[in-house]
């Protein structure tokens, strides 16, 4: 009986997941229209929804609502669906990543500045750091599924607190789906959030880039300088492409 509950976790929620995807896809569509026009963008959105339905049962169970980072994992399946559809029309992982990145920037930009400021400051209160400590301890004890990470105490100068991620359900999910090349572009969304909320994120390595961990370091009020396409270059170097090729971004997009 327990196994059935786990197996049905996402499929039993398919209607809501599709409704949420429709909202996100509208944000993607607004970006795609500027590159592809209305008709092609509408085609992509429609086929992405179909592809997402196929992916829903494939999502790994990470503890349900009690699991960590569930929303991000679910969002990643929608992003993967978009990538697969774009790929079928000859577009690249980088092109799909750029669309998602720009859509996320626009989403945060629509929030009132006062709200972004409040949320950003809230990431540094004692309650939040205690929460990260607790979650890190639970992950080390394997009390959560999908992620393992350690809390890193800030030094008071370079960063306020950090996390070293050594296991990531999103990376593993993309690997099982044969989409390792797309993972680094989803990792870039962490910098979009940091820039919007003033969280001062710095990261020097990622699991998606082939490193042993993702080293997140946050500092309140620091300018977030990383973002598109710096992290992508790390993956490109591993795969043998040049930095210049990776930096060209969606300038290569054609109808």
């Amino acid at each position: 009986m327990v196994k059935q509950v786990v197996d049905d976790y996402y499929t039993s929620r398919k209607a809501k997941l599709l409704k949420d995807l429709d909202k996100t896809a509208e944000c993607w569509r607004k970006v795609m229209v500027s590159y592809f026009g209305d008709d092609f963008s509408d085609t992509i959105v429609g086929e992405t929804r179909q592809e997402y339905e196929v992916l829903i049962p494939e999502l790994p169970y990470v503890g349900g609502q009690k699991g960590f980072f569930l929303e991000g994992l679910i969002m990643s399946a929608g992003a993967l669906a978009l990538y697969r559809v774009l790929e079928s029309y000859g577009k690249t992982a980088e092109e799909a990543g750029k669309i998602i990145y720009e859509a996320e920037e626009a989403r945060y930009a629509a929030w009132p500045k006062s709200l972004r400021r409040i949320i950003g400051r809230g990431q540094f209160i004692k309650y939040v750091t205690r929460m990260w400590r607790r979650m890190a301890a639970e992950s080390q004890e394997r009390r959560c599924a999908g992620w393992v990470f350690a809390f890193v105490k800030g030094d008071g100068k370079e960063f306020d607190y950090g996390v070293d991620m050594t296991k990531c359900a999103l990376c593993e999910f993309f690997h099982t789906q044969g989409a390792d090349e797309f993972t680094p572009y989803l990792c870039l969304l962490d910098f979009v959030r940091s820039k919007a909320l003033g969280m001062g994120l710095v990261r020097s390595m990622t699991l998606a880039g082939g490193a042993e961990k993702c080293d997140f370091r946050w500092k309140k009020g620091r300018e977030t300088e990383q973002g598109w396409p710096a992290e992508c270059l790390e993956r490109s170097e591993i795969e043998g492409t040049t930095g210049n090729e990776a930096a060209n971004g969606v300038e290569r997009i054609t109808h």
Side-chain angles (χ1 to χ4, degrees), residues 157-211:
K157 294 181 180 180
E158 295 299 320
F159 66 102
D160 294 316
Y161 68 96
V163 163
D164 283 345
M165 187 80 64
T166 54
K167 175 179 168 64
C168 172
L170 192 156
C171 285
E172 293 179 355
F173 173 54
F174 275 43
H175 180 69
T176 62
Q177 293 294 320
D180 290 314
E181 73 282 0
F182 186 54
T183 316
Y185 299 99
L186 268 292
C187 297
L188 283 172
L189 300 185
D190 294 324
F191 295 117
V192 177
R193 176 178 174 81
S194 179
K195 289 179 181 181
L197 304 182
M199 296 173 63
L201 174 63
V202 169
R203 190 170 59 204
S204 67
M205 65 184 79
T206 64
L207 293 166

Side-chain angles (χ1 to χ4, degrees), residues 45-161:
V45 168
E47 293 185 15
T48 294
R49 197 178 198 274
Q50 295 173 6
E51 180 66 28
Y52 183 60
E53 284 195 72
V54 175
L55 283 172
I56 287 175
E58 300 294 322
L59 277 164
Y61 182 75
V62 294
Q65 293 299 322
K66 295 182 179 179
F68 301 157
F69 319 124
L70 176 64
E71 183 179 345
L73 178 62
I74 291 173
M75 181 280 292
S76 75
L80 177 57
L82 176 66
Y83 166 49
R84 283 184 169 171
V85 173
L86 286 169
E87 185 182 33
S88 72
Y89 286 95
K91 310 306 177 186
T92 67
E94 187 178 344
E95 291 169 324
K98 181 65 169 173
I99 288 166
I100 294 169
Y101 189 92
E102 290 187 356
E104 190 73 352
E105 284 184 316
R107 185 176 73 88
Y108 277 110
W111 292 13
K113 288 184 179 180
S114 57
L115 177 61
R116 281 183 275 153
R117 190 180 306 114
I118 291 171
I119 295 175
R121 289 175 179 174
Q123 305 302 308
F124 296 91
I125 62 177
K126 290 183 179 179
Y127 168 77
V128 172
T129 55
R130 286 199 301 266
M131 178 186 69
W132 274 109
R133 286 179 182 273
R134 175 184 59 79
M135 292 195 304
E138 291 180 4
S139 78
Q140 294 290 326
E141 296 168 2
R142 300 303 196 271
R143 290 169 59 189
C144 71
W147 284 270
V148 176
F149 53 97
F151 180 84
V152 182
K153 183 179 179 181
D155 59 10
K157 294 181 180 180
E158 295 299 320
F159 66 102
D160 294 316
Y161 68 96

